[in-house]
Amino acid sequence: MLYDLELGIDYEYDAPSDGARNLLHLLPLTLVGRQTLQQGVITCDPAPDERRDRVDFFGNPVTEVCWHSPLQEIRIHLRARVERLVTAAAPMDLSPGLPDLARELAGLNDIGPRSPHHFLAPSPRITPNAAMAAYARDHVKPGATALEVVLALGKALHGDMTFDAEATDVDTPPAIAFVQRRGVCQDFTHVMIACLRSLGIPAGYVSGCLRTLPPPGQERLAGADAMHAWVRAWTGHEGGWIEFDPTNDLIVGRDHITVAYGRDYADVAPVKGVLRTAGGQESSHSVDVIPVKTAA
């Protein structure tokens, strides 16, 4: 599936800001056999005084931008063409049970960017939580494989939590979203990661974009697609990594465009930075994931 991706993020300040510096995780990844970034460009208006494009520890493209003069507004724009190859078919279950998964992890010496060891310990936004650990244990059937646990927990959270854009904000701790059983994709993802880690299953955060389909009989609205988040879990040497979307209760497929991998949202926030300003600010964003018609 070939997509044109357009994303816009705008900030407007009550008073001119000074010394703005941001890290942008916006450019989609190229993943062998799954996703190819054919072309992509990030622009800012006004143009930054400093810009550096690099790759972070986890292999994600990062753009660093800095402005030296006071700003009344900043507009960030991404335009990319991405080929998505993966389907949403359920993988063959080659994963071990949880005791054998722990033994596989203990014998794994790799500490590179994709090593599951980085995704098992507490991270900036996700710390151990007794209530979530108990919930996770309650959904593990005797003798279940690691993959079966991932799918069961994802399905349970989808059923027990309610999507509510007003219930949380970007800084809400996962424990609060879990107690409320309400939140957005970031909350569903953080809670599921915490549950999986409590069982000894390495799990990380995936930032991306999701193509949404309009209701039957209605036209697609420009800008109505969304930045999204889902879970990446390691199911052993043979099973490897699986990506699951607990907000929608499904294995990630061709409508999900991967932007960045991290331990939690703190590693892959689309825009993160600092500035000096007085007064408030307003922000808005729009996302278009547009299928590209190709010749038969």
Side-chain angles (χ1 to χ4, degrees), residues 73-258:
E73 61 183 20
I74 299 174
R75 304 191 184 279
I76 301 167
H77 185 257
L78 165 72
R79 178 173 292 171
R81 175 162 288 189
V82 180
E83 184 179 17
R84 197 68 165 96
L85 304 173
V86 72
T87 66
M92 182 181 297
D93 191 356
L94 302 174
S95 64
L98 298 187
D100 287 334
L101 183 70
R103 283 188 283 272
E104 288 190 13
L105 276 167
L108 184 63
N109 296 321
D110 177 24
I111 55 171
R114 300 300 189 214
S115 169
H117 289 302
H118 299 301
F119 303 92
L120 190 56
S123 53
R125 296 287 188 100
I126 302 173
T127 55
N129 179 277
M132 284 188 273
Y135 179 92
R137 290 194 299 271
D138 288 343
H139 290 87
V140 177
K141 293 183 179 179
T145 66
L147 176 59
E148 288 173 337
V149 172
V150 171
L151 299 181
L153 266 175
K155 187 175 188 65
L157 287 171
H158 175 78
D160 292 340
M161 291 185 68
T162 300
F163 187 92
D164 184 349
E166 303 299 323
T168 59
D169 59 35
V170 70
D171 295 316
T172 300
I176 299 300
F178 179 71
V179 168
Q180 296 178 159
R181 298 296 199 274
R182 309 183 81 84
V184 295
C185 59
Q186 174 182 306
D187 304 299
F188 279 68
T189 298
H190 277 158
V191 170
M192 185 172 174
I193 291 171
C195 288
L196 290 172
R197 289 180 185 172
S198 75
L199 298 172
I201 299 177
Y205 189 102
V206 188
S207 172
C209 296
L210 176 65
R211 174 197 178 195
T212 56
L213 299 175
Q218 297 187 23
E219 293 186 1
R220 176 185 172 279
L221 297 177
D225 298 315
M227 289 293 289
H228 195 47
W230 57 92
V231 175
R232 183 172 182 253
W234 192 72
T235 62
H237 291 306
E238 296 296 329
W241 292 95
I242 180 173
E243 296 184 13
F244 189 86
D245 180 348
T247 309
N248 295 297
D249 187 24
L250 51 81
I251 293 170
V252 167
R254 290 189 298 177
D255 289 335
H256 294 73
I257 296 175
T258 302

Side-chain angles (χ1 to χ4, degrees), residues 3-7 210-226 286-292:
Y3 294 108
D4 279 341
L5 172 62
E6 292 203 24
L7 183 149
L210 176 65
R211 174 197 178 195
T212 56
L213 299 175
Q218 297 187 23
E219 293 186 1
R220 176 185 172 279
L221 297 177
D225 298 315
S286 63
V287 181
D288 276 320
V289 182
I290 307 166
V292 177

